[in-house]
Amino acid sequence: MKTLITTALFATLMAGSAMADTTLKLVEVITSPERTETLKSIVGKFEAANPDAKVEIISLPWNEAFQKFATMVSAGDTPDVMEMPDTWLSLYANNGMLESLEPYLAKWEHTKELTPRALELGRDVNKTAYMLPYGFYLRAMFYNKKLLSDAGVTTPPKTMDEFTKASEAVSKLPGKYGYCMRGGPGGLNGWMIFAASMAGDNTYFKEDGSSTMNSEGWAKGIEWMVDLYRQGYAPKDSVNWGFNEVVAGFYSGTCAFLDQDPDALIAIAERMKKEDFGVIPLPKGPDGKSFPTIGYAGWSMFSTTKNKDLSWKLIAMLEGKEGNLEWNKKIGALPAYTSAEKDPFYAGDQFKGWFEELADPNTVPTVMPTYLEEFAFFKDSLAIKTSQQALLGDITPKQLADQWAEYLTKAQQKHLKK
């Protein structure tokens, strides 16, 4: 009897130990030291509320994240929860790797408080919530007031033509340039924005699935981007610039213009005086329209997790009102809650440009075709390589437009067949 009691007690202790050692793996892919510290803060609250759980945070540098995460997945090293960029959602959801969050959203107290856009975009694949967006990245234009003044530009540009002239004027100043071009990782947004604005239309495909990338208007926009660089209106080394480099190029005073999301505001506001810079809507094309890309990212659960309910609790902590506001105020995205606009943090002049865009009927927030399984590779690999070739003169703007059109046409027609 004594042996049985001892054995039972040992088993109970071991079970308790196993419960205490339940570890969730959380992968973040859009990383910075500040973001990681904020993530640790929210995760700490989750661990305090769930003392039997621990969270292992794995941070992948964004410039290498796509390849590194794909390698992890192919090796069977999948997380429980991950930060899911919009451009990856289709790839992993369509391959059956993500868990539907619909059963949890149906019971969650905050679901009705999320913006309709958040729920719509989270259900981008098969109208199923395989991701819960935490916030939105809408492009607007930062401008350096002092550089424009020094160059004799009296008012910030409202059109692409005015933008070109202002960039030319600033580029005549010693060591200064007009545009902080993002020619490296993450640079596709700028190409898409200005190509669509030149075309006056953000339709990526015709009814038969053929891409509009090499149509007259889009091709002119692509050529306009190449010309900005080739004429010296952007720094020569910007052909390789990613997020950190373009933001540094702006706050250091190297270039006068930067098209970026609100997340760039964090580093800029820390290093520049409020009166030295502003944020305005993106310049409009010949038809009086602009098409700033609106990107998003959120939280997804991998279907391989053995702890689904606990994984949802983690997502709910990250996406809850307190966690969502803490996260977005630090990373600079526009929050997923309808009540966020009333928060004093977003009521100042620094966010004015983005809210003006949202209110302007001729400014159309545009989602790139992230539903295509092939889009992640296109954005994070093919588009970077080929656009750099065009900027450096190895291929013509027309050849670039044709290559993009060919790739995207195949992807869209494959999607239509499904």
Side-chain angles (χ1 to χ4, degrees), residues 364-387:
V364 185
T366 299
V367 178
M368 291 193 284
T370 55
Y371 59 86
L372 297 173
E373 290 184 40
E374 295 82 359
F375 190 76
F377 174 77
F378 174 73
K379 176 181 181 290
D380 294 324
S381 184
L382 179 64
I384 298 172
K385 178 182 177 182
T386 52
S387 62

Side-chain angles (χ1 to χ4, degrees), residues 49-263:
N50 299 273
D52 294 331
K54 296 296 179 186
V55 179
E56 177 190 359
I57 298 175
I58 298 172
S59 301
L60 302 180
W62 174 243
N63 290 355
E64 307 164 8
F66 180 71
Q67 289 81 5
K68 285 194 172 185
F69 188 72
T71 301
M72 285 177 60
V73 171
S74 64
D77 184 18
T78 55
D80 298 279
V81 175
M82 76 164 292
E83 180 183 18
M84 178 65 69
D86 53 358
T87 52
W88 300 13
L89 179 60
S90 177
L91 176 64
Y92 290 105
N94 279 317
N95 282 286
M97 296 183 182
L98 302 181
E99 187 75 13
S100 169
L101 302 178
E102 294 293 352
Y104 301 102
L105 288 173
K107 301 176 183 178
W108 195 40
E109 60 180 335
H110 295 305
T111 301
K112 292 181 180 180
E113 300 175 71
L114 297 172
T115 65
R117 192 73 164 176
L119 292 169
E120 173 195 343
L121 295 176
R123 291 169 172 147
D124 191 48
V125 177
N126 299 324
K127 297 182 179 179
T128 302
Y130 290 114
M131 179 244 270
L132 192 52
Y134 56 64
F136 308 103
Y137 297 94
L138 179 66
R139 287 293 171 99
M141 186 69 74
F142 290 81
Y143 70 101
N144 186 310
K145 296 179 181 181
K146 185 176 185 302
L147 280 182
L148 292 193
S149 177
D150 291 347
V153 179
T154 55
T155 56
K158 294 182 179 180
T159 68
M160 289 174 66
D161 184 52
E162 291 176 0
F163 180 80
T164 301
K165 292 176 181 177
S167 294
E168 179 183 10
V170 174
S171 299
K172 291 178 180 178
L173 300 173
K176 305 298 181 183
Y177 301 88
Y179 180 42
C180 284
M181 180 174 286
R182 189 168 175 175
L188 181 62
N189 295 63
W191 294 89
M192 292 295 197
I193 289 167
F194 292 118
S197 297
M198 184 65 77
D201 188 8
N202 65 348
T203 305
Y204 292 107
F205 301 101
K206 300 175 185 176
E207 287 188 12
D208 64 357
S210 58
S211 170
T212 57
M213 286 293 109
N214 58 352
S215 64
E216 183 179 359
W218 285 81
K220 279 185 178 179
I222 289 173
E223 184 176 8
W224 181 86
M225 283 283 283
V226 173
D227 285 347
L228 277 178
Y229 180 80
R230 300 293 296 278
Q231 290 173 8
Y233 301 163
K236 182 172 287 187
D237 56 349
S238 67
V239 66
N240 293 311
W241 282 6
F243 176 80
N244 291 333
E245 290 82 7
V246 293
V247 173
F250 182 79
Y251 67 62
S252 67
T254 300
C255 34
F257 298 110
L258 168 68
D259 67 284
Q260 258 305 327
D261 312 310
D263 55 350

